[in-house]
Amino acid sequence: MATHLRANLPPLSLHVPEPKFRPGDAVDFASVDVPAAGATRRPDTADEARSFTDLAYGLVRVLDDENRAVGPWDPKLSPDTLRRMLRDMALVRAFDERMFRAQRQGKTSFYMKCTGEEAVSIGATAALDADDMCFPSYRQQGILLSRGCPMVDMMNQIYSNRGDKLQGKQLPIMYSEKRFGFFSISGNLTTQYPQAVGWAMASASKGDTRIAATWCGEGSTAEGDFHSALTFATVYRAPVIFNVVNNQWAISSFSGFAGAEATTFAARAVGYGIAGLRVDGNDALAVYAATEWAAERARTNQGPTLIEHFTYRAEGHSTSDDPSQYRSAGEPTAWPLGDPIRRLKDHLIALGEWDEERHAAQDKELAEAVKAAQKEAEQNGILGHGLHQPLDSLFDGVFEEMPWHLREQQAQMLAEEEASGRPWARK
Amino acid sequence: MSDSMTDTNDTSRMNMIQAINSAMDVVMARDPGVIVMGEDVGFFGGVFRATAGLQAKYGKTRVFDTPITECGIIGVAVGMGAYGLRPVPEIQFADYIYPALDQLVSEAARLRYRSGGEFTAPITVRSPFGGGIFGGQTHSQSPEGLFTHMSGIKTVIPSTPYDAKGLLIAAIEDNDPVIFFEPKRIYNGPFNGYWDKPAENWSKHPGGEVPGGYYRVELGKANVVREGEALTVLCYGTMVHVCQAVIAEAGIDAEIVDLRSLVPLDIETIEASVKKTGRCMIVHEATRTSGFGAELSALVQERCFYHLEAPIERVTGYDTPYPHSLEWAYFPGPVRIGEALKKIMKDA
């Protein structure tokens, strides 16, 4: 491969991003710009998208260092609402802990926690209406828990057992819960983005009042579907909220590989003519306030909003991942925006509406509720222990009606099973 | 045409574009959930005029232009389907469907299966396909084999205006995702493969007689366009007409089966025909290796092995990108089909 050097020009060089800290490095997040709580302005929901540049590079924060709610974005929620959000977030964490352990015990093949990101889904769901449609990625289990999806149903799916209404067809955590406005999760990243826009366009074209919300990680914003979704949304002013959960990591790739060295993810919205907000994703009140604002903008036909939730993925990407191989172990604790549950808890305590004893008692109660649900779910079986679905059900649902070629393959499978002495029945 | 369910009525002469336009008009009038979207389909009425007049009749919220993003068009259609609509997105040329493959294969095709039936994708993707028009590499392709290989999606290809309308109505009303490939070479007339002779139009062809109202041609049913005893020809789209012309010229008593839908496939008609004739020739424009002809050949071999009197012949596009200037060398036209016929009938 020949290079073509000209004497009067320096050679070009390729920039390959590199995270600040690797395993063993001391962590110092001083370079992360964290504006003071309450310092970011709250625009009118009808403002033009082009006026959002400062917000797209700023950070909406409500909870300050003294655990007070301050500034124009304070949603002024009642103590009951705050306690419910705190409880939901604690429930998500308890659920994650238990299911992570279940995977380690070999009861299922796979799990993904959202530790440190609980405020993103709980804050948003609390601000949406119950019938608004959510198009989540795989790390928004908080939506289901806060909308009241029975834990047993979620666990049945994780165990692919007799009670799994997805009939064991989906990888654990790829839930589908139409009754809770929770779209079927796909393994293919960001495909839900244009789908959410389509749902929102359909709602608008029918004169409905419901809106759509969708989530993806910062890594997934690099997918082409992200671009197509934002283009469609701006063209048709679709009533949709785009959430980008910037947790700094896409498996082992730091956010620089999605373009974060040069700009923010919220800033991308501005180029599309979409309102862009950047919020402290570990501040449940900021997430609530931004979602409430974006929902009002969507519901009044002012169009879409993109919210970047600036947060940190406190644990591994999944049960198949070991983050100590690519990042410093000191990062989660050094993260300047802290822990979302602790911050909301301390706020409620500062208000005199909560205390450590009640919190500890609630944690215990939630852990027991999760354990009880797990016990109940395991009555329906765990992965690998026996045949939980009829063998031939694997052909169900490919089409509305089974065509001849699937009926033939189904019959052949059953005949082979029988001819070989019914090995599946023996298990 | 006993497999159709015609309710009305007055027929008139239509070309395939008019028939396709009529199908969308009829379904949109019956079902307010049907919406049409795609590049240039709205005010302009489509680059092939297939959606002409629909926006004026049904309004901009039901027939609209889209940004030039195929993955967006299909992704948005899937979301609209999840809401409860019945979208009919257009991909301007089948050659440009690839950016939408992820949404089609990973999403539309699997949505029912992966959600336990909670969500479905009742979408019909219309797209002009096939060659014979000097379209070069990116206006001539026949990518049906990519879709027949994917479980959960149906693939339909009409060969006449009558079938185009009836099949498209059935596809739109079907609750599964359907890829509806329209052979653009025969939009205006039945092409017999003789590119150097004057083009025909649909005015004299029986398939150009199209009812004005609602009827369906059931998916999964082939059409035996010529009954015969000497061999079975399996084909679809433009190649139905080319095969008919070549067979007539050769004076061979062939049975010509227009498959009409590839998935689901009418295996009964295929099997009965090959068992009767003992010979099978498969003709498609798409490239040969791993093309749909390979699946047809395997099925015939498995099911009709003891009835076969000669090896199955496949006449297909070559395993090259679709060329511009050498189009008629590439296209499986009368010369190539004629040579294959001689080979398969050698010992008859």
Side-chain angles (χ1 to χ4, degrees):
Chain A
M1 209 166 38
T3 54
H4 299 270
L5 293 178
R6 272 177 271 174
N8 60 338
L9 291 174
L12 295 166
S13 65
L14 179 69
H15 173 68
V16 179
E18 179 64 22
K20 288 208 166 60
F21 318 110
R22 286 295 193 186
D25 290 347
V27 174
D28 177 6
F29 279 127
S31 64
V32 175
D33 186 25
V34 181
T40 306
R41 71 184 176 95
R42 186 180 191 278
D44 193 276
T45 55
D47 281 359
E48 279 191 43
R50 67 181 64 195
S51 70
F52 281 76
T53 304
D54 61 322
L55 290 151
Y57 285 101
L59 201 62
V60 172
R61 304 183 71 223
V62 173
L63 292 172
D64 72 6
D65 294 341
E66 278 76 54
N67 305 309
R68 295 171 306 190
V70 297
W73 286 94
D74 176 10
K76 301 204 172 8
L77 300 176
S78 71
D80 280 345
T81 302
L82 293 173
R83 276 189 292 262
R84 186 168 56 81
M85 285 166 62
L86 180 65
R87 183 186 174 85
D88 285 347
M89 285 162 64
L91 176 61
V92 176
R93 191 165 291 181
F95 187 90
D96 276 358
E97 290 295 334
R98 196 87 206 160
M99 289 297 98
F100 185 90
R101 201 180 319 160
Q103 191 278 338
R104 288 294 187 253
Q105 291 167 340
K107 292 174 176 178
T108 188
S109 60
F110 183 74
Y111 192 72
M112 297 177 104
K113 297 169 111 176
C114 66
T115 311
E117 302 172 38
E118 292 90 347
V120 172
S121 53
I122 299 301
T125 316
L128 292 170
D129 284 347
D131 57 359
D132 289 332
M133 188 68 189
C134 296
F135 290 78
S137 78
Y138 46 70
R139 226 184 284 280
Q140 283 81 46
Q141 52 266 54
I143 297 169
L144 282 178
L145 289 165
S146 86
R147 282 187 169 177
C149 181
M151 283 189 278
V152 176
D153 292 350
M154 295 169 72
M155 290 171 175
N156 285 338
Q157 197 280 327
I158 290 163
Y159 289 136
S160 281
N161 63 18
R162 277 192 300 286
D164 174 15
K165 68 185 165 72
L166 306 185
Q167 301 163 293
K169 292 185 162 97
Q170 269 282 44
L171 191 71
I173 66 120
M174 304 280 182
Y175 311 107
S176 177
E177 286 290 356
K178 194 172 191 177
R179 62 197 163 140
F180 295 108
F182 189 97
F183 187 70
S184 159
I185 295 178
S186 172
N188 297 62
L189 298 177
T190 331
T191 50
Q192 73 276 14
Y193 251 56
Q195 292 165 1
V197 176
W199 196 98
M201 287 172 65
S203 181
S205 77
K206 286 289 162 189
D208 203 335
T209 56
R210 291 175 292 168
I211 63 171
T214 185
W215 287 258
C216 76
E218 90 285 350
S220 306
T221 62
E223 293 282 5
D225 276 333
F226 181 82
H227 167 69
S228 74
L230 268 63
T231 303
F232 259 85
T234 194
V235 167
Y236 303 98
R237 280 188 218 158
V240 61
I241 304 172
F242 296 114
N243 295 281
V244 173
V245 186
N246 177 5
N247 67 12
Q248 316 302 321
W249 291 94
I251 308 185
S252 75
S253 304
F254 87 116
S255 58
F257 284 101
E261 285 184 337
T263 185
T264 70
F265 296 96
R268 285 158 205 233
V270 179
Y272 289 95
I274 291 175
L277 300 174
R278 192 159 171 272
V279 309
D280 176 347
N282 290 15
D283 177 344
L285 296 184
V287 173
Y288 183 103
T291 307
E292 184 185 42
W293 185 96
E296 186 190 322
R297 185 173 170 92
R299 251 184 264 282
T300 52
N301 286 306
Q302 304 295 329
T305 301
L306 186 149
I307 305 172
E308 174 185 347
H309 302 267
F310 195 60
T311 182
Y312 187 83
R313 196 194 76 209
E315 300 208 11
H317 166 71
S318 73
T319 49
S320 308
D321 180 44
D322 174 8
S324 73
Q325 298 298 307
Y326 51 79
R327 72 183 188 188
S328 170
E331 284 200 17
T333 44
W335 182 243
L337 298 177
D339 176 82
I341 295 179
R342 187 193 53 72
R343 286 175 67 191
L344 186 57
K345 181 190 79 170
D346 290 348
H347 173 55
L348 269 161
I349 291 172
L351 290 174
E353 294 287 349
W354 197 242
D355 55 53
E356 293 288 358
E357 292 70 35
R358 285 164 80 182
H359 194 78
Q362 178 171 277
D363 274 348
K364 190 156 177 270
E365 178 211 327
L366 293 173
E368 275 162 15
V370 172
K371 201 171 161 188
Q374 185 188 23
K375 217 168 170 184
E376 193 182 333
E378 288 179 6
Q379 299 294 309
N380 295 322
I382 57 174
L383 185 69
H385 287 211
L387 186 63
H388 301 312
Q389 287 86 26
L391 203 54
D392 56 347
S393 69
L394 95 88
F395 295 93
D396 293 343
V398 179
F399 294 101
E400 185 175 41
E401 285 170 33
M402 203 181 294
W404 67 269
H405 65 285
L406 289 181
R407 285 199 308 273
E408 262 192 20
Q409 290 169 31
Q410 186 184 42
Q412 185 180 351
M413 183 186 75
L414 290 175
E416 286 167 355
E417 155 79 355
E418 185 162 9
S420 60
R422 294 204 169 281
W424 279 101
R426 283 201 304 273
K427 285 199 85 175
Chain B
M1 291 171 181
S2 55
D3 56 356
S4 62
M5 298 179 281
T6 308
D7 51 15
T8 50
N9 33 57
D10 298 342
T11 64
S12 60
R13 304 305 308 190
M14 291 188 198
N15 64 30
M16 193 180 278
I17 286 287
Q18 292 164 327
I20 285 163
N21 183 281
S22 174
M24 286 185 275
D25 188 6
V26 164
V27 187
M28 291 190 82
R30 290 166 63 101
D31 181 350
V34 176
I35 67 110
V36 168
M37 59 192 280
E39 297 157 15
D40 305 297
V41 306
F43 182 85
F44 179 57
V47 294
F48 290 104
R49 318 306 302 147
T51 56
L54 296 179
Q55 187 181 73
K57 189 167 177 184
Y58 297 102
K60 289 200 294 185
T61 59
R62 291 190 65 195
V63 182
F64 54 87
D65 294 316
T66 64
I68 304 172
T69 161
E70 287 77 14
C71 65
I73 291 168
I74 302 302
V76 161
V78 170
M80 289 179 155
Y83 179 91
L85 300 186
R86 202 170 275 281
V88 187
E90 176 184 300
I91 300 294
Q92 201 161 78
F93 288 87
D95 314 65
Y96 304 133
I97 205 166
Y98 309 123
L101 270 188
D102 190 33
Q103 285 288 348
L104 286 166
V105 172
S106 310
E107 302 296 316
R110 294 189 201 154
L111 191 51
R112 179 191 296 280
Y113 191 76
R114 78 171 196 230
S115 70
E118 276 196 343
F119 297 98
T120 59
I123 69 174
T124 299
V125 183
R126 289 182 42 248
S127 191
F129 101 131
I133 58 152
F134 278 111
Q137 291 190 23
T138 57
H139 300 79
S140 309
Q141 295 168 39
S142 299
E144 67 271 22
L146 291 177
F147 297 96
T148 59
H149 187 58
M150 300 302 167
S151 55
I153 214 156
K154 295 177 177 173
T155 303
V156 176
I157 301 169
S159 70
T160 65
Y162 178 89
D163 280 0
K165 179 172 175 181
L167 287 167
L168 182 55
I169 290 174
I172 295 171
E173 293 187 335
D174 195 280
N175 290 325
D176 293 311
V178 181
I179 304 288
F180 192 86
F181 280 136
E182 302 165 0
K184 56 183 149 347
R185 184 61 183 82
I186 55 172
Y187 269 157
N188 293 314
F191 177 60
N192 61 12
Y194 288 95
W195 50 274
D196 49 348
K197 292 182 181 161
E200 293 172 50
N201 60 36
W202 285 108
S203 63
K204 292 192 202 85
H205 193 284
E209 193 79 27
V210 180
Y214 175 89
Y215 69 97
R216 294 178 10 153
V217 175
E218 199 185 332
L219 307 186
K221 296 283 181 201
N223 185 24
V224 179
V225 296
R226 185 194 190 283
E227 289 188 17
E229 305 286 335
L231 88 154
T232 298
V233 180
L234 303 180
C235 51
Y236 47 89
T238 303
M239 301 320 295
V240 172
H241 304 284
V242 179
C243 290
Q244 278 180 289
V246 177
I247 291 297
E249 198 171 89
I252 294 173
D253 185 26
E255 181 144 304
I256 303 174
V257 181
D258 173 5
L259 298 177
R260 297 200 287 207
S261 83
L262 308 189
V263 175
L265 183 68
D266 185 350
I267 192 68
E268 283 178 25
T269 297
I270 294 170
E271 208 175 318
S273 179
V274 178
K275 282 181 177 169
K276 177 176 71 177
T277 63
R279 286 179 166 79
C280 180
M281 181 165 82
I282 297 158
V283 188
H284 61 57
E285 285 179 68
T287 48
R288 184 181 186 87
T289 301
S290 304
F292 191 66
E295 180 63 28
L296 288 171
S297 175
L299 285 167
V300 168
Q301 188 270 351
E302 286 162 6
R303 288 163 183 268
C304 310
F305 184 78
Y306 295 105
H307 295 78
L308 287 175
E309 292 167 33
I312 300 162
E313 279 292 321
R314 279 187 288 160
V315 189
T316 69
Y318 295 119
D319 285 339
T320 68
Y322 203 105
H324 185 240
S325 66
L326 293 175
E327 170 151 61
W328 300 113
Y330 173 95
F331 190 88
V335 172
R336 295 183 54 203
I337 295 171
E339 288 306 306
L341 268 179
K342 281 184 211 157
K343 203 167 151 193
I344 198 170
M345 299 307 295
K346 177 168 58 150
D347 305 317

